[in-house]
Amino acid sequence: MSLTGVAALIAAVSFAVLAGAGVYLAVRFTRVLGDAATLVRDTRSDQQALFARANTAVDRANAQLDLTEAATASVGELGTAMTELAGQASALAGVGRTVAGAVVGGPLGRAAAVAYGVRHAVGVRTGARQRRPLAGQVVAGPELPPAQPPAQSAASPAPRQQRQQRQQRRRAGAAR
């Protein structure tokens, strides 16, 4: 073999190695591109599912906002109705004050007060009603004794029972 034959053989082997490496790299690159295409397809289908769920969530939120809008409108109407009712109540209160002032401050009120006073005085005079002493104690000197809380004994009834007893006495007195 001559020197040109050896050089041609080396060039042919080098070309074959380079061609084999190129084919190997092309096959690997094709596989990588196929995997990338599969990944893009999967991602695209996942995105479509994600967008579908997001659209569903937005639709649900819009429905809730519509309900909230209706409730807000109802509350606004309620506020208007309450304002109107308050105006009517204040107008009635003014009429009630006028009527009450005319009754209490007028001749009818005075007559009722005199009748009550006479009835009470006659009741005290005849003994049907007794004068009740005011609760407390008589102070002998110029200085007041220090305030002490009332002691609750086991024999004294509870405040609620006392209140009920007073109410019963009042009812009995009013029934006479």
Side-chain angles (χ1 to χ4, degrees), residues 20-46:
V23 168
Y24 176 75
L25 289 175
V27 169
R28 292 290 289 175
F29 188 66
T30 304
R31 284 186 189 163
V32 167
L33 285 179
D35 290 344
T38 304
L39 182 65
V40 167
R41 265 193 309 271
D42 292 344
T43 303
R44 191 171 290 152
S45 66
D46 288 344

Side-chain angles (χ1 to χ4, degrees), residues 99-168:
V99 169
V103 169
V104 173
L108 185 63
R110 290 186 190 126
V114 167
Y116 174 77
V118 168
R119 191 179 85 207
H120 184 71
V122 168
V124 169
R125 191 92 186 205
T126 60
R129 289 186 180 220
Q130 295 179 353
R131 287 191 176 187
R132 290 183 291 159
L134 295 175
Q137 59 185 357
V138 177
V139 179
E143 292 186 25
L144 294 175
Q148 296 179 0
Q152 288 283 342
S153 66
S156 69
R160 183 175 180 188
Q161 292 173 342
Q162 290 174 348
R163 195 174 29 231
Q164 289 174 347
Q165 290 172 356
R166 281 194 304 266
Q167 288 174 353
Q168 289 172 353

Side-chain angles (χ1 to χ4, degrees), residues 23-102:
V23 168
Y24 176 75
L25 289 175
V27 169
R28 292 290 289 175
F29 188 66
T30 304
R31 284 186 189 163
V32 167
L33 285 179
D35 290 344
T38 304
L39 182 65
V40 167
R41 265 193 309 271
D42 292 344
T43 303
R44 191 171 290 152
S45 66
D46 288 344
Q47 285 176 350
Q48 289 173 353
L50 181 64
F51 285 140
R53 286 195 315 225
N55 284 336
T56 304
V58 167
D59 291 341
R60 221 177 299 140
N62 283 336
Q64 291 294 325
L65 286 174
D66 290 341
L67 292 175
T68 304
E69 194 173 298
T72 304
S74 296
V75 169
E77 292 171 8
L78 178 66
T80 304
M82 291 303 290
T83 303
E84 183 179 327
L85 180 63
Q88 292 172 356
S90 66
L92 284 177
V95 168
R97 275 191 228 108
T98 303
V99 169

